């Protein structure tokens, strides 16, 4: 299962760990990279010194490639761009904005640039800007989401661009990885399963909420006001839904609703408030029921996919006979 992505990034497994804000720190990213995947530090809205500390931590754990996810709407985006160049980071993934103005600097520094996209149009635009690959993320993913499902999005993006495509959203085992490859992806990005890894520093309450979740336990908030977010339903999501109904009736303004989500992800991940914090997780949560090491997760994803692909190939061969 060597692909253009494994060759480009010099990684063993074509598997990225999602750059989840507050969750994807140096410990988690370092463990994933050390085990053969691509660990990614979630920059989120963190200032330069915080991201620097996480980069230093990864370098303590491994000498293998790792990435940093830069949220381009962050007030510290320019600082983080400077930082990844200074620190010799090999890969940058981007979200919530256009990386075009940084593209030349990234490439001059030898950085592979991989934007996260929710549509074919944006994938094509990123290719024209010089992106080395794109992450096509479907709405099954946790956190901020687009409108298309992974199955619909990945196939259409793979057919529309010539650069490698990484599939994301709703992937947590070998079956999901195999499906992504059949759709034309050359790697996958996995978030929720790594969020509950043994090396993840997310609060145990946060992990337990995911481990106990069923297939229908995630909801999408902020569809009316703001950017849609998928999380496991709790008192916060119920409050948010009521507030959006009040907004539609003219009983609340936009600022009041936005304030409900301020700091909510940190409250869940760091403080363990899974009632009024935002437990961002994907629809695949119902398939995840145990904590494992990053190495065990990577092997299960990779070899599980290989076994499934071989099994299906054998079935087709038997039919032809």
């Amino acid at each position: 299962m060597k692909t253009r992505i494994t060759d480009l990034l010099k990684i063993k497994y074509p598997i990225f760990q999602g750059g989840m804000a507050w969750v994807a720190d140096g410990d988690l990213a370092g463990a994933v990279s050390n085990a053969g995947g691509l660990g990614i530090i979630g920059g989120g809205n963190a200032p330069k010194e915080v991201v620097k500390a996480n980069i230093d931590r990864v370098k303590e754990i491994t000498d293998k490639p790792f990435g940093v996810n830069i949220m381009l709407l962050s007030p510290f985006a320019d600082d983080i761009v400077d930082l990844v160049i200074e620190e010799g980071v090999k890969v940058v993934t981007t979200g919530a904005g256009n990386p075009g103005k940084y593209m030349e600097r990234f490439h001059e520094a030898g950085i592979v640039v991989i934007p996260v996209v929710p549509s074919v149009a944006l994938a094509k635009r990123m290719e024209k800007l010089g992106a080395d690959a794109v992450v096509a993320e479907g709405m099954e993913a946790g956190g901020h989401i687009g409108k298309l499902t992974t199955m619909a999005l990945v196939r259409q993006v793979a057919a529309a661009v010539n650069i490698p495509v990484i599939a994301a959203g709703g992937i947590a085992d070998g079956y999901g990885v195999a499906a992504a490859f059949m759709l034309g992806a050359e790697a996958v990005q996995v978030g929720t399963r790594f969020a509950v890894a043994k090396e993840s520093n997310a609060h145990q309450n946060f992990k337990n909420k995911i481990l106990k979740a069923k297939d229908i336990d995630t909801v999408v908030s902020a569809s009316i006001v703001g950017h849609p977010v998928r999380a496991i339903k709790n008192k916060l999501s119920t409050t948010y839904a009521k507030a959006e109904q009040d907004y539609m009736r003219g009983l609340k303004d936009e600022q009041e609703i936005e304030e409900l989500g301020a700091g909510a992800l940190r409250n869940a991940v760091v403080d363990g408030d899974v009632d009024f914090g935002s437990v961002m997780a994907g629809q695949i949560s119902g398939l995840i029921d145990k904590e494992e090491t990053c190495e065990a997760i990577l092997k299960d994803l990779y070899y599980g996919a290989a076994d499934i692909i071989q099994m299906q190939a054998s079935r087709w061969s038997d039919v032809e006979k």
Side-chain angles (χ1 to χ4, degrees):
M1 287 174 66
K2 284 187 176 295
T3 70
R4 285 185 291 175
I5 288 294
T6 57
D7 289 342
L8 179 65
L9 304 183
K10 304 297 186 290
I11 55 178
K12 180 178 181 180
Y13 303 121
I15 301 167
F16 292 17
Q17 158 251 310
M20 302 162 283
W22 293 106
V23 175
D25 60 10
D27 286 329
L28 181 60
V32 172
S33 285
N34 201 45
L38 184 74
I40 300 176
I41 295 167
N45 285 317
K48 186 174 182 178
E49 57 269 21
V50 172
V51 180
K52 172 69 163 62
N54 281 314
I55 291 174
D56 290 343
R57 178 58 180 149
V58 174
K59 290 179 177 179
E60 290 175 2
I61 295 172
T62 185
D63 59 359
K64 295 179 180 178
F66 66 93
V68 173
N69 176 260
I70 303 178
M71 298 301 290
L72 297 171
L73 289 181
S74 165
F76 305 107
D78 288 345
D79 292 338
I80 306 306
V81 170
D82 292 341
L83 177 66
V84 296
I85 292 172
E86 293 164 5
E87 292 295 319
V89 173
K90 301 299 183 185
V91 186
V92 161
T93 62
T94 66
N98 186 339
K101 69 176 182 177
Y102 306 114
M103 199 69 74
E104 187 175 349
R105 290 186 63 202
F106 283 144
H107 284 156
E108 285 178 351
I111 296 174
V112 174
V113 184
I114 308 178
V116 178
V117 299
S119 70
V120 169
L122 281 175
K124 287 181 175 180
R125 186 177 180 188
M126 293 302 105
E127 183 176 36
K128 287 181 180 178
L129 287 173
D132 298 284
V134 290
V135 176
E137 184 176 72
M139 66 178 296
E140 296 93 326
H144 295 286
I145 59 171
K147 296 180 179 180
L148 295 176
T149 65
T150 301
M151 177 166 280
L153 176 64
V154 171
R155 182 66 210 116
Q156 292 181 79
V157 170
V161 300
N162 294 312
I163 54 177
V165 175
I166 298 95
I171 300 170
D173 66 1
Y175 285 91
V177 176
F181 273 79
M182 294 303 98
L183 292 172
E186 298 188 44
V188 298
Q189 179 169 285
V190 175
T192 307
R193 190 169 178 188
F194 282 118
V196 300
K198 289 184 181 294
E199 294 91 342
S200 167
N201 291 318
H203 197 285
Q204 193 61 45
N205 290 352
F206 182 89
K207 291 184 177 182
N208 289 343
K209 192 76 171 176
I210 294 172
L211 295 170
K212 294 176 182 177
K214 297 181 177 63
D215 58 336
I216 58 172
D217 282 351
T218 66
V219 293
V220 177
S221 300
S223 294
I224 299 173
V225 177
H227 190 74
V229 173
R230 184 178 299 284
I232 296 176
K233 57 188 175 185
N234 59 5
K235 292 179 181 178
L236 174 64
S237 63
T238 301
T239 301
Y240 212 108
K242 175 63 166 56
E244 289 198 304
Q245 290 174 2
D246 289 343
Y247 171 80
M248 294 297 289
R249 298 189 187 103
L251 302 177
K252 283 189 182 294
D253 61 33
E254 195 168 319
Q255 184 176 348
E256 288 180 279
I257 298 177
E258 288 177 353
E259 288 174 355
L260 288 173
L265 178 59
R266 183 198 181 282
N267 292 345
V269 176
V270 178
D271 297 335
D273 182 357
V274 294
D275 289 325
F276 290 99
S278 182
V279 186
M280 294 185 186
Q283 284 184 311
I284 205 67
S285 296
L287 196 65
I288 302 168
D289 58 8
K290 59 184 175 181
E291 294 182 50
E292 300 170 280
T293 65
C294 291
E295 181 179 13
I297 292 170
L298 286 165
K299 287 183 175 179
D300 181 62
L301 292 166
Y302 180 80
Y303 292 108
D307 288 345
I308 291 158
I309 291 170
Q310 290 173 356
M311 178 179 66
Q312 294 301 327
S314 176
R315 286 178 177 175
W316 281 106
S317 178
D318 289 343
V319 169
E320 289 177 357
K321 292 177 183 178

